Amino acid sequence: KKEPKSEELLLRLARINFALGNTNKAMSYLNAFPDDYVHDELSIQEFVRLFIDYNLNNEAIGFLEKIIDEAPYHYSAWYFIGLIHQKQEKYHEAINAYEYCIAIDDENTMGHLGKGNCLMELGEYEEAISYYKQSLDNDESDAEVYCNVAECYENLMDGNSARYYYHKSIKINPHISDAYYGLGTVYKRNLQWKDAERNFLKAIDIDPYESLYPIELAEVYLILENHNRCYEHYAKAYEIDSDTIEIILD
């Protein structure tokens, strides 16, 4: 049987100690890694995943800041600091980290995407759109970006632009349920009930475990006074998410 490398062994020992709640001991194993291993891009992803698995956000930030102290222009370290702050809903701190990413490498799309996500959460939709467009990679990941751009336009009450970008998202990935849901909400706002119904049904077909989709569809049936189908979809939403009181009230 092949013996694990010393780095693999250290990582296993760290994971075991994190799982047992021995955080200090786990950190001592991580601190024992040689610098050239720690600074490697794939290794940083491995370490951050480890911290996230055990919800150790402060330890993750401290670990990444130590890397930055030694290598101030380390793109991945700044990116993951932004990602962890974003996960904690500390959007301004996350934006600061993503801005360092952009300053270090303006052509790396991840910093632009991260900043766009944070700006969207803060309600800065026009600026978010600008950063989302700079994050496009000309691959399948663009479907999610276009969907976010469309949602920003929807929040700006620009239904035409929202529809345009939801359709661009679907053209790249026809299985992206959020884009069909977004189209449904745009059509619902415009009182185009059949188009809204069709898109909500498509979203449910793709992702039958998202309670928001049948709730929106039930509201369409309520307006159309199709009470049987209305009740059917509220009941379906309740099966998925019985903790949401609004479903029962509706």
Side-chain angles (χ1 to χ4, degrees), residues 150 159-169 183:
N160 289 336
S161 295
R163 276 201 309 274
Y164 174 77
Y165 282 100
Y166 281 132
H167 281 299
K168 279 181 78 76
S169 174
L183 279 171

Side-chain angles (χ1 to χ4, degrees), residues 227-242:
H227 296 141
N228 288 336
R229 298 215 69 183
C230 174
Y231 180 79
E232 173 194 338
H233 285 281
Y234 275 132
K236 187 178 290 184
Y238 182 72
E239 282 176 23
I240 298 166
D241 183 7
S242 59

Side-chain angles (χ1 to χ4, degrees), residues 71-240:
Y73 300 105
H74 200 299
Y75 184 95
S76 290
W78 280 114
Y79 173 73
F80 283 115
I81 283 178
L83 196 64
I84 291 162
H85 281 314
Q86 183 182 332
K87 182 173 173 283
Q88 294 177 292
E89 299 183 4
K90 297 178 179 177
Y91 299 119
H92 293 291
E93 290 92 331
I95 286 170
N96 288 339
Y98 290 136
E99 283 176 347
Y100 275 106
C101 291
I102 293 165
I104 292 164
D105 183 1
D106 187 48
E107 294 189 8
N108 191 313
T109 60
M110 296 307 294
H112 294 95
L113 179 61
K115 186 171 178 180
N117 286 333
C118 292
L119 289 165
M120 184 176 175
E121 292 292 344
L122 291 170
E124 303 288 342
Y125 300 118
E126 289 182 359
E127 197 176 356
I129 289 167
S130 169
Y131 280 94
Y132 278 139
K133 288 181 178 179
Q134 292 178 74
S135 78
L136 295 169
D137 264 331
N138 295 315
D139 61 24
E140 195 170 321
S141 67
D142 285 354
E144 195 71 43
V145 177
Y146 282 132
C147 195
N148 288 346
V149 169
E151 191 176 340
C152 286
Y153 278 118
E154 194 177 348
N155 283 309
L156 291 167
M157 306 303 288
D158 183 347
N160 289 336
S161 295
R163 276 201 309 274
Y164 174 77
Y165 282 100
Y166 281 132
H167 281 299
K168 279 181 78 76
S169 174
I170 290 164
K171 189 174 181 181
I172 295 169
N173 178 4
H175 304 292
I176 186 163
S177 60
D178 281 346
Y180 290 102
Y181 169 74
L183 279 171
T185 60
V186 172
Y187 286 125
K188 183 183 171 193
R189 185 178 292 144
N190 291 340
L191 312 183
Q192 295 171 267
W193 308 119
K194 288 297 178 187
D195 288 324
E197 176 191 24
R198 176 171 51 81
N199 281 283
F200 287 142
L201 283 169
K202 183 67 177 177
I204 291 167
D205 183 52
I206 294 168
D207 183 0
Y209 302 106
E210 172 54 69
S211 63
L212 197 57
Y213 302 163
I215 289 171
E216 288 287 336
L217 182 56
E219 288 180 3
V220 170
Y221 289 131
L222 184 64
I223 292 162
L224 295 174
E225 297 186 355
N226 187 337
H227 296 141
N228 288 336
R229 298 215 69 183
C230 174
Y231 180 79
E232 173 194 338
H233 285 281
Y234 275 132
K236 187 178 290 184
Y238 182 72
E239 282 176 23
I240 298 166

Side-chain angles (χ1 to χ4, degrees), residues 57-76:
N57 297 314
N58 292 335
E59 286 80 1
I61 295 289
F63 188 79
L64 292 164
E65 284 178 344
K66 185 181 174 187
I67 293 172
I68 286 167
D69 286 343
E70 297 170 17
Y73 300 105
H74 200 299
Y75 184 95
S76 290

